[in-house]
Amino acid sequence: MLIETKIGTSLNYYLIAFDANGKERENNGELISQKVLEILSSAKKSDKPITDVFLMSHGWQGDIPAAKDQYDRWIAAMAKNQADIEKMQQVRPGFNPLLIGLHWPSKPWGDEDLSAVSPDKTIVSFDTTDDSQEELIEQYAHRIADTETTREALRTIFAAAGEYDVAPDTLPSEVREAYEVLIKEASLSSEAEDADAWSENESLNLDPESVYEATLTEENEDVSFGIGDSLKSAGDAFLNIPRLLSFWKMKDRARNIGQTSGFNLLNRLQQVTDNTVRFHLMGHSFGCIFVSATVAGTQHNKLTRPVNSLVLIQGALSLWSFCSNVPHRKNIPGYFRSIISDRKVTGPIVTTQSQYDKAVKNAYPMAGTLGIFGGQDIDFDVNTEKTYPGVGGIGCHGIQGDGLEIINYKEGMLPLQESYNFESGKIYNLESSKYIVVPPSLLDLFMGAHNAIDKPEVAHALWSAALAS
């Protein structure tokens, strides 16, 4: 499936979609990865070979329509930066990029139809038969933790939802107890072969009553909770925490699909190209986990060659993910430490941070020891010395820790007319609040400016990372 940007430029991209198990989905009977491999192979023999391959991954709450929308906007921003493209052409004579958008199902009950765009809405009715309610319980269980304990807790919540016409002011005791069971089950759901290193300091510390109260307040103020559903009933309100708990499941899914299917795809692309072809990876939110896992692989596999640049935009992964020793742990490196120790990225690694990103500031610690309503006062000034929290996202703090050559870019994210001095093998944390921001009227309690990355200045950083590689 070739998707053209909507501004009439020569920058197009291919959408390669995986299912929840990491299997590539066919589009009109064909695998797009095979089409891309054929293009790379044939271009190698032509007078216009591919010089650079860009692979991009969206984050949490991404179904097919959302993925298409995000890639359209990101690549349109890249295409508008003609000065950056001209620099690439100067440094890389014959510059001819191939862009790939990677899709993995990260939105519970999202639209995964490759051929059509459906309304971004899920309506759950509690006036159902026993069979249909059990089907809904199964769907929720698969997205939280596939255990019988989870199912029993969900049955309690569904039963309570049927007893109220409107959401009560406080949580019924049985619903709160069911929430606590779900939170515990979700925090135990990681299936990583080295789950201890993957989880690092994280454990769910979510206060059900606080989230429920915020849900009711938000409904009254007509503010989106970042889920896309309107909370008009007790059922919708009661199911808010189970929906939020998909955070944990999707975080693990990003890692799992990235280090298997994403890795295998990247390896195949490298195998059909010459060593002169450069590979650049960019992720957003949980997509930063996806692309990092794609580069890192597992301890049992290795890429054909290193990639050339890695850009992590508002990353929803641990700030300790790349360090040699996670603080307060006994000789445990960050989960993606091998990217540094084995030099799996030859060029720069670039990250962005924005104080207006409520998702990384609030939702990421939801899955950590800080808690979503922990009241942590986070200092966003990366130019001052500070004590970092045990759990926090790269989108707030940048990559941190021992054994890293880190440059907290004093100027922050640069305007288009200024040039970065990125160097190979170094990590650059860019304070980006000047550009990754939205008008106050559009601020969302749990999202903020998290998705406001289709800016020319963000694209400028991405181009500059590729240029320096």
Side-chain angles (χ1 to χ4, degrees):
M1 175 185 294
L2 179 61
I3 309 294
E4 295 189 1
T5 57
K6 295 184 170 52
I7 58 175
T9 73
S10 60
L11 283 184
N12 305 308
Y13 72 95
Y14 289 87
L15 182 68
I16 295 178
F18 300 106
D19 65 17
N21 296 315
K23 180 180 179 181
E24 184 180 353
R25 300 180 57 205
E26 292 186 353
N27 181 51
N28 294 325
E30 67 175 344
L31 295 177
I32 304 305
S33 65
Q34 188 59 41
K35 186 180 182 75
V36 170
L37 289 168
E38 292 170 0
I39 290 171
L40 286 171
S41 296
S42 59
K44 182 169 60 174
K45 304 171 186 177
S46 70
D47 57 357
K48 196 176 180 181
I50 300 297
T51 60
D52 295 77
V53 178
F54 291 80
L55 292 96
M56 305 180 183
S57 174
H58 62 74
W60 191 29
Q61 300 290 354
D63 58 5
I64 291 290
K68 290 179 180 179
D69 175 67
Q70 290 179 67
Y71 292 137
D72 282 351
R73 291 187 288 106
W74 298 357
I75 293 170
M78 291 177 66
K80 288 180 180 178
N81 289 13
Q82 284 300 311
D84 285 319
I85 294 175
E86 290 173 4
K87 286 182 181 178
M88 290 294 294
Q89 292 170 337
Q90 293 169 6
V91 173
R92 302 276 283 160
F95 175 64
N96 183 26
L98 186 147
L99 285 72
I100 301 171
L102 301 171
H103 171 64
W104 54 284
S106 63
K107 182 174 184 176
W109 308 279
D111 180 1
E112 293 300 316
D113 185 354
L114 279 167
S115 61
V117 177
S118 301
D120 186 13
K121 189 105 172 166
T122 298
I123 299 175
V124 178
S125 171
F126 291 87
D127 183 17
T128 60
T129 65
D130 289 342
D131 288 344
S132 61
Q133 182 166 298
E134 280 300 310
E135 184 177 344
L136 284 172
I137 288 171
E138 281 297 312
Q139 292 177 10
Y140 271 77
H142 282 294
R143 288 160 174 82
I144 298 173
D146 192 7
T147 67
E148 188 56 36
T149 302
T150 296
R151 291 177 179 83
E152 283 300 319
L154 287 168
R155 289 185 186 103
T156 298
I157 294 171
F158 272 73
E163 296 177 4
Y164 295 87
D165 293 328
V166 296
D169 293 336
T170 59
L171 275 177
S173 59
E174 71 273 18
V175 175
R176 180 185 178 87
E177 292 172 2
Y179 278 164
E180 292 172 349
V181 170
L182 290 182
I183 291 168
K184 181 178 180 181
E185 290 298 298
S187 66
L188 298 174
S189 66
S190 176
E191 298 176 356
E193 59 183 13
D194 46 359
D196 189 47
W198 171 237
S199 63
E200 298 178 357
N201 284 339
E202 298 171 20
S203 61
L204 286 171
N205 184 25
L206 196 61
D207 177 34
E209 192 70 53
S210 297
V211 175
Y212 183 73
E213 290 176 2
T215 294
L216 297 181
T217 300
E218 196 168 72
E219 179 184 5
N220 294 333
E221 296 176 354
D222 194 26
V223 178
S224 169
F225 200 68
I227 300 174
D229 294 323
S230 175
L231 301 175
K232 298 184 182 300
S233 68
D236 284 331
F238 286 171
L239 285 172
N240 224 357
I241 284 184
R243 287 175 180 133
L244 281 173
L245 290 178
S246 73
F247 177 104
W248 195 264
K249 189 73 171 181
M250 298 308 170
K251 177 176 179 284
D252 197 56
R253 179 178 291 178
R255 174 203 57 81
N256 186 46
I257 299 180
Q259 69 183 20
T260 54
S261 305
F263 172 91
N264 291 336
L265 172 64
L266 175 57
N267 209 30
R268 290 165 62 204
L269 297 175
Q270 290 183 329
Q271 289 171 352
V272 300
T273 56
D274 296 330
N275 290 339
T276 56
V277 178
R278 300 190 181 192
F279 286 81
H280 313 284
L281 277 75
M282 176 269 198
H284 169 242
S285 186
F286 277 175
C288 296
I289 296 176
F290 189 103
V291 296
S292 297
T294 295
V295 174
T298 69
Q299 59 183 333
H300 305 299
N301 53 26
K302 185 178 180 181
L303 288 174
T304 301
R305 58 183 182 274
V307 301
N308 299 89
S309 68
L310 178 63
V311 178
L312 307 177
I313 307 296
Q314 296 310 115
L317 70 163
S318 171
L319 70 165
W320 311 117
S321 294
F322 295 81
C323 71
S324 57
N325 188 28
V326 177
H328 312 300
R329 301 295 293 273
K330 294 182 179 180
N331 299 317
I332 295 180
Y335 190 80
F336 296 123
R337 176 60 186 175
S338 67
I339 292 178
I340 305 300
S341 60
D342 297 343
R343 205 165 182 242
K344 296 180 180 181
V345 180
T346 58
I349 298 175
V350 178
T351 76
T352 70
Q353 296 78 52
S354 172
Q355 62 178 305
Y356 303 110
D357 185 338
K358 302 300 182 183
V360 177
K361 180 181 178 181
N362 294 333
Y364 184 86
M366 176 194 76
T369 55
L370 296 182
I372 198 166
F373 292 99
Q376 176 85 1
D377 183 15
I378 297 176
D379 176 11
F380 286 93
D381 185 356
V382 297
N383 297 317
T384 61
E385 294 184 3
K386 60 184 177 181
T387 301
Y388 293 99
V391 173
I394 284 175
C396 278
H397 308 284
I399 292 174
Q400 302 296 338
D402 296 335
L404 300 169
E405 190 169 0
I406 300 169
I407 297 176
N408 293 322
Y409 221 75
K410 294 181 180 180
E411 301 85 351
M413 181 170 280
L414 297 180
L416 299 181
Q417 63 271 21
E418 296 186 24
S419 298
Y420 291 95
N421 296 311
F422 292 153
E423 298 179 19
S424 295
K426 295 183 179 180
I427 295 170
Y428 294 86
N429 295 321
L430 306 182
E431 208 297 314
S432 308
S433 300
K434 185 176 180 180
Y435 299 108
I436 300 180
V437 62
V438 294
S441 61
L442 298 179
L443 276 177
D444 178 285
L445 176 63
F446 282 95
M447 297 302 289
H450 185 61
N451 293 323
I453 66 168
D454 54 333
K455 308 292 180 68
E457 292 80 10
V458 177
H460 179 47
L462 176 61
W463 280 124
S464 299
L467 185 70
S469 66

